[in-house]
């Protein structure tokens, strides 16, 4: 089993038809939680129950011990594993259609999904075809404050400017600024 492999969930529907794959990157500001956190485990199970798909979660390395670009590298490594070795994983449904792959996540996980998808364009997959990136509430940021950052600052301490500034500082290598366009969005 690949060390980045978090969980594999599917429903009966997903085991009897040509099921798509949903690769899910958990949130947590690049520094918190893991695929086995109750919040995310419950979410994966609900997705697998409600959508006839195989859900694979990615247990990427966390900052500050592992800074950019390790999380994106982990995402690419996971896609390569799915492409070449996923069929060796116990209980992996044989009818899964790797040509119908979607990547998504939660918050920082959606940042990872976006950037992994951009990087995946440079990969030569033999079985896997990335169809879509599903972004609902991605965690992006830059040197200049957005209106949503300003608006959320006083609502909850979880997404305060002080906390998100620290998350970005832990994520980026020392000496980097938060101008993500030169690091993340453009390749």
């Amino acid at each position: 089993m690949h060390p980045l492999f978090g969980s594999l969930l599917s429903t009966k529907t997903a085991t009897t038809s040509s099921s798509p794959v949903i690769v899910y990157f958990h949130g947590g500001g690049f520094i918190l939680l893991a695929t086995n956190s109750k919040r995310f485990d419950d979410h994966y199970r609900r997705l697998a129950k409600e959508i006839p798909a195989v859900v694979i979660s990615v247990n990427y390395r966390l900052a500050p011990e592992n800074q950019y670009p390790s999380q994106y590298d982990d995402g690419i490594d996971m896609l390569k594993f799915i492409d070449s070795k996923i069929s060796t994983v116990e209980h992996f449904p044989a009818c899964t259609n790797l040509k119908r792959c979607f990547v998504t996540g939660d918050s920082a996980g959606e940042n990872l999904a976006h950037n992994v998808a951009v990087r995946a364009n440079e990969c030569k997959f033999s079985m896997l075809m990335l169809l879509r990136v599903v972004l609902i509430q991605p965690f992006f940021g830059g040197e200049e404050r957005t209106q949503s950052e300003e608006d959320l600052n006083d609502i909850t301490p979880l997404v305060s400017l002080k906390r998100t500034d620290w998350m970005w500082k832990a994520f980026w290598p020392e000496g980097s600024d938060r101008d993500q366009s030169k690091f993340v969005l453009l390749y």
Side-chain angles (χ1 to χ4, degrees), residues 30 60-61 63 66-77 112 115-116 119 170-173 176 183-184 187:
F30 308 107
Y60 60 86
R61 293 173 286 169
N66 302 283
Q67 292 181 313
Y68 168 87
S70 64
Q71 295 80 3
Y72 301 144
D73 295 341
D74 290 349
I76 290 295
D77 287 348
L112 294 174
N115 287 289
V116 167
R119 288 182 173 200
F171 176 70
W172 292 113
S176 299
F183 290 102
V184 182
Y187 289 103

Side-chain angles (χ1 to χ4, degrees), residues 4-9 35 41 44-45 55-59 78:
L4 300 173
F5 198 83
S7 60
L8 168 72
L9 298 165
T35 60
D41 187 62
Y44 308 142
R45 291 179 188 284
V55 179
I56 299 172
S57 63
V58 182
N59 205 25
M78 191 65 201

Side-chain angles (χ1 to χ4, degrees), residues 33-60:
L33 307 171
T35 60
N36 64 353
S37 301
K38 180 167 177 26
R39 172 184 176 203
F40 292 114
D41 187 62
D42 290 350
H43 182 63
Y44 308 142
R45 291 179 188 284
R46 189 171 61 250
L47 271 177
K49 182 180 176 186
E50 295 179 12
I51 301 172
V54 174
V55 179
I56 299 172
S57 63
V58 182
N59 205 25
Y60 60 86

Side-chain angles (χ1 to χ4, degrees), residues 22-184:
I22 298 172
V23 179
Y24 198 99
F25 296 89
H26 69 83
F30 308 107
I31 62 167
L32 301 169
L33 307 171
T35 60
N36 64 353
S37 301
K38 180 167 177 26
R39 172 184 176 203
F40 292 114
D41 187 62
D42 290 350
H43 182 63
Y44 308 142
R45 291 179 188 284
R46 189 171 61 250
L47 271 177
K49 182 180 176 186
E50 295 179 12
I51 301 172
V54 174
V55 179
I56 299 172
S57 63
V58 182
N59 205 25
Y60 60 86
R61 293 173 286 169
L62 299 176
E65 294 81 11
N66 302 283
Q67 292 181 313
Y68 168 87
S70 64
Q71 295 80 3
Y72 301 144
D73 295 341
D74 290 349
I76 290 295
D77 287 348
M78 191 65 201
L79 292 182
K80 289 177 179 177
F81 175 78
I82 292 168
D83 181 58
S84 62
K85 297 189 175 104
I86 193 68
S87 62
T88 65
V89 173
E90 188 176 357
H91 304 298
F92 183 74
C95 63
T96 304
N97 185 349
L98 296 179
K99 299 287 185 200
R100 296 175 59 208
C101 181
F102 300 82
V103 292
T104 190
D106 176 80
S107 189
E110 288 180 328
N111 178 305
L112 294 174
H114 164 79
N115 287 289
V116 167
V118 170
R119 288 182 173 200
N121 286 317
E122 300 172 8
C123 296
K124 303 279 191 247
F125 297 117
S126 60
M127 301 294 293
L128 186 74
M129 181 181 289
L130 210 55
L131 292 182
R132 299 276 188 281
V133 180
V134 180
L135 300 178
I136 300 165
Q137 191 175 350
F139 182 55
F140 289 113
E143 286 293 315
E144 187 176 324
R145 298 276 183 220
T146 64
Q147 188 61 50
S148 64
E149 286 177 302
E150 296 288 347
D151 292 346
L152 288 173
N153 187 44
D154 296 327
I155 294 175
T156 173
L158 182 62
V159 290
S160 69
L161 292 177
K162 182 178 179 181
R163 179 164 299 207
T164 58
D165 285 348
W166 187 88
M167 289 174 173
W168 286 118
K169 184 178 179 182
F171 176 70
W172 292 113
E174 192 170 325
S176 299
D177 62 26
R178 290 181 51 195
D179 182 3
Q180 291 189 40
S181 65
K182 63 185 173 192
F183 290 102
V184 182

Side-chain angles (χ1 to χ4, degrees), residues 3-21:
L4 300 173
F5 198 83
S7 60
L8 168 72
L9 298 165
S10 63
T11 61
K12 288 182 182 176
T13 307
T15 59
T16 59
S17 64
S18 181
S19 305
V21 175

